[in-house]
Amino acid sequence: MTSERTATLSWDREEKKQDLPILSGSIGPDVIDIRSLSKTGMLTYDPGFMSTASCTSRITYIDGDAGVLLYRGYPIEQVAEKCDFLEVCYLILNGELPNGQQMAAFVKNVTLHTMVHDQLNNFFKGFRRDAHPMAVMVGVVGALSAFYHDSLDITSETDRKISAIRLVAKVPTIVAMCYKYTIGQPFMYPRNNLAYVENFMRMMLSTPCENFVANPVLVRALDRILILHADHEQNASTSTVRLAGSSGANPFACIAAGIACLWGAAHGGANEAVLNMLEEIGDVSRIGAYINRAKDRSDPFKLMGFGHRVYKNFDPRAKIMYTTCHEVLDELGLGNDRLFKLAMELERIALEDDYFIEKKLYPNVDFYSGIVLRALGIPTTMFTAIFAMARTVGWIAHWNEMITDPEQKIGRPRQLYQGHPRRDVTPIATR
Ligand code: SDX
């Protein structure tokens, strides 16, 4: 980061001034380094961190105006087309694409860690069968720290690496277990002779009573969905993982915190909310009423799957998801899928509406993902768990980057206090 340039802050009719360094990254917006601002006795105020860079990072770059998403410098369009998800996991974790030998070793290492401790099976028994899978997933991933005392030293690179492998390897097994538990079917153990996504689909969608035959088009589609969700800069759940990790919490607890944050409908819960919204709209004749609700500030309803904090033209992932949606529905003979046609009409109407144009609201990654997942046979309640499974690699990469960042400190924002000034407690008899 370079800082030859400065921004000068002046206040009280320019009687007071403070020079603040301007830092430049490799690409993207410059930042004003406000770390010395506390000397003025003042703080910055930025609810939702709309104008705040919380850290430096080398993992993912987003240009919201240009619709650009880079994983370690590689455009999402190329990565989604030319890589598979485990290759992307290697890239995000290590910073470079693997060669053949590195990839083979990585795949073998992940494969040999896909099984979970068998006592975790008992852990599930404490949940109600009708619990939301995300509630179960938060609990079980957090509980992993009760099983891996041998790798919780966050100052050890070896421990951090094995924890990353364990999380990338075991979260799909746990996601499938969360689903099987809610439908009362037996857990399916991972198979080391199956590739990552096919292994997950077998654990999720088959039973001990039958052989699982994967459709390669569907396997590739799910693999691409995982790639599209693998990382996304300092989004809410990644920032949660970084904040939890800044206190020294172990990686399993930090990832559980990320899962909890992702669950929210404004974030990773949106894909489930999109499907529920489309089912509620039900027919193209009712789209107008819901568009009007979305535009009514007195109505809390928002068009799920639309809008984004950073993308103000288009979400590049949504374009790839739309293509994937077509591929899957065509493969399954569902080209006339009711909800897909409803979603396309909703998108068309919204994108022609002045409100959405003025507020720069476009479909985001969640708008079509739910339709694809549903066509793959994955129930709506599991959509966010699939998102969490994909984002685990991004979360752990950011956690590791934060731990090894020489500038990292425990995250501890301040506030603008609007409460009572000091006052004395009076006896209850006089209140
Ligand atoms: C993800 O951060 C990431 O990178 C997240 C993510 C990732 O990969 O990690 O990309 C994944 O979370 C995608 C977003 C999924 N969420 C949804 O689809 C839920 C619906 N979208 C909204 O909740 C909203 O668009 C957000 C939360 C995504 C973004 O909200 P912002 O950036 O805080 O913007 P805002 O709420 O301030 O909205 C600006 C204006 C507001 O109107 P005014 O107050 O200016 O009058 O746009 C309106 C909002 O009311 N608006 C919407 C809307 N989204 C924003 N109005 C109707 N429908 C919507 N979907």
Side-chain angles (χ1 to χ4, degrees):
M1 294 180 291
T2 57
S3 60
E4 290 81 20
R5 296 155 55 215
T6 60
T8 300
L9 176 69
S10 62
W11 64 99
D12 291 349
R13 293 175 302 286
E14 298 201 352
E15 289 168 13
K16 297 171 185 153
K17 292 188 178 184
Q18 166 102 14
D19 283 343
L20 299 167
I22 293 176
L23 307 178
S24 299
S26 51
I27 49 176
D30 293 338
V31 299
I32 297 174
D33 182 347
I34 59 165
R35 283 175 288 186
S36 62
L37 192 66
S38 54
K39 291 176 194 164
T40 68
M42 290 192 288
L43 302 170
T44 59
Y45 181 61
D46 187 18
F49 310 117
M50 307 274 284
S51 302
T52 294
S54 60
C55 62
T56 60
S57 182
R58 290 171 172 75
I59 300 172
T60 294
Y61 174 73
I62 301 171
D63 179 334
D65 292 328
V68 169
L69 169 55
L70 307 178
Y71 286 166
R72 298 287 190 177
Y74 294 101
I76 189 65
E77 295 81 1
Q78 293 185 29
V79 165
E81 185 193 335
K82 300 177 179 178
C83 302
D84 68 21
F85 178 64
L86 271 193
E87 199 174 354
V88 173
C89 286
Y90 185 98
L91 171 66
I92 288 175
L93 288 170
N94 298 294
E96 297 296 337
L97 285 167
N99 61 33
Q101 189 181 359
Q102 291 164 330
M103 187 62 189
F106 183 70
V107 169
K108 183 180 179 186
N109 200 5
V110 169
T111 301
L112 295 180
H113 285 87
T114 49
M115 219 161 47
V116 294
H117 194 293
D118 224 40
Q119 278 183 221
L120 267 180
N121 293 359
N122 303 326
F123 191 89
F124 277 81
K125 292 190 172 70
F127 291 102
R128 285 173 47 146
R129 291 280 185 179
D130 61 354
H132 193 289
M134 287 298 283
V136 180
M137 193 174 170
V138 170
V140 175
V141 172
L144 289 176
S145 39
F147 289 85
Y148 298 112
H149 305 292
D150 66 330
S151 66
L152 297 183
D153 176 1
I154 62 171
T155 63
S156 156
E157 184 181 4
T158 306
D159 281 14
R160 294 199 302 271
K161 282 190 172 177
I162 182 59
S163 295
I165 292 291
R166 279 173 167 153
L167 281 158
V168 169
K170 295 181 193 301
V171 167
T173 307
I174 291 168
V175 168
M177 292 171 80
C178 290
Y179 175 55
K180 287 298 189 186
Y181 184 73
T182 60
I183 60 173
Q185 286 187 358
F187 298 138
M188 297 293 288
Y189 285 82
R191 284 272 173 80
N192 292 350
N193 65 319
L194 296 180
Y196 190 85
V197 171
E198 187 176 352
N199 207 359
F200 168 69
M201 291 177 82
R202 178 185 165 276
M203 290 189 283
M204 175 88 182
L205 301 173
S206 81
T207 72
C209 316
E210 62 200 2
N211 291 324
F212 177 71
V213 179
N215 177 327
V217 173
L218 305 188
V219 172
R220 180 60 185 141
L222 183 54
D223 188 285
R224 193 180 302 145
I225 288 171
L226 299 183
I227 290 173
L228 295 177
H229 288 84
D231 192 51
H232 214 237
E233 196 203 75
Q234 305 307 324
N235 58 84
S237 53
T238 300
S239 298
T240 300
V241 170
R242 279 179 171 263
L243 194 57
S246 73
S247 75
N250 74 68
F252 305 104
C254 294
I255 299 304
I259 294 170
C261 176
L262 186 76
W263 193 3
H267 188 14
N271 49 19
E272 177 178 358
V274 167
L275 253 290
N276 294 336
M277 175 187 73
L278 291 173
E279 291 286 7
E280 186 183 327
I281 293 173
D283 183 85
V284 291
S285 63
R286 289 157 49 91
I287 288 176
Y290 280 83
I291 294 277
N292 291 334
R293 284 188 59 194
K295 292 156 61 173
D296 178 356
R297 286 179 66 100
S298 65
D299 187 332
F301 173 78
K302 288 196 188 306
L303 211 53
M304 290 290 110
F306 266 74
H308 199 276
R309 171 61 59 77
V310 180
Y311 292 123
K312 296 306 178 187
N313 276 319
F314 63 92
D315 182 336
R317 303 168 297 176
K319 288 176 176 273
I320 302 168
M321 192 65 75
Y322 177 80
T323 306
T324 303
C325 204
H326 262 298
E327 285 172 7
V328 168
L329 295 176
D330 290 348
E331 173 68 17
L332 296 173
L334 299 173
N336 289 320
D337 178 82
R338 165 179 72 87
L339 290 185
F340 185 47
K341 292 174 84 69
L342 183 61
M344 287 192 289
E345 183 60 8
L346 175 58
E347 178 185 9
R348 184 189 66 79
I349 295 172
L351 294 185
E352 290 174 356
D353 186 288
D354 291 342
Y355 173 91
F356 290 86
I357 294 168
E358 176 211 325
K359 294 193 185 291
K360 298 178 181 283
L361 302 175
Y362 296 85
N364 57 50
V365 68
D366 294 303
F367 188 63
Y368 285 105
S369 62
I371 296 170
V372 187
L373 292 172
R374 174 175 157 271
L376 293 176
I378 294 168
T380 307
T381 53
M382 288 299 297
F383 289 177
T384 309
I386 302 287
F387 192 153
M389 182 169 92
R391 187 55 57 87
T392 291
V393 67
W395 288 331
I396 202 72
H398 280 276
W399 173 80
N400 197 54
E401 185 177 63
M402 180 273 304
I403 293 280
T404 54
D405 180 347
E407 293 193 323
Q408 86 94 11
K409 295 177 180 299
I410 186 167
R412 206 278 188 220
R414 300 295 307 279
Q415 63 179 13
L416 176 63
Y417 179 66
Q418 300 276 31
H420 284 283
R422 186 192 182 284
R423 55 181 175 164
D424 295 321
V425 173
T426 56
I428 192 165
T430 65
R431 289 179 214 150

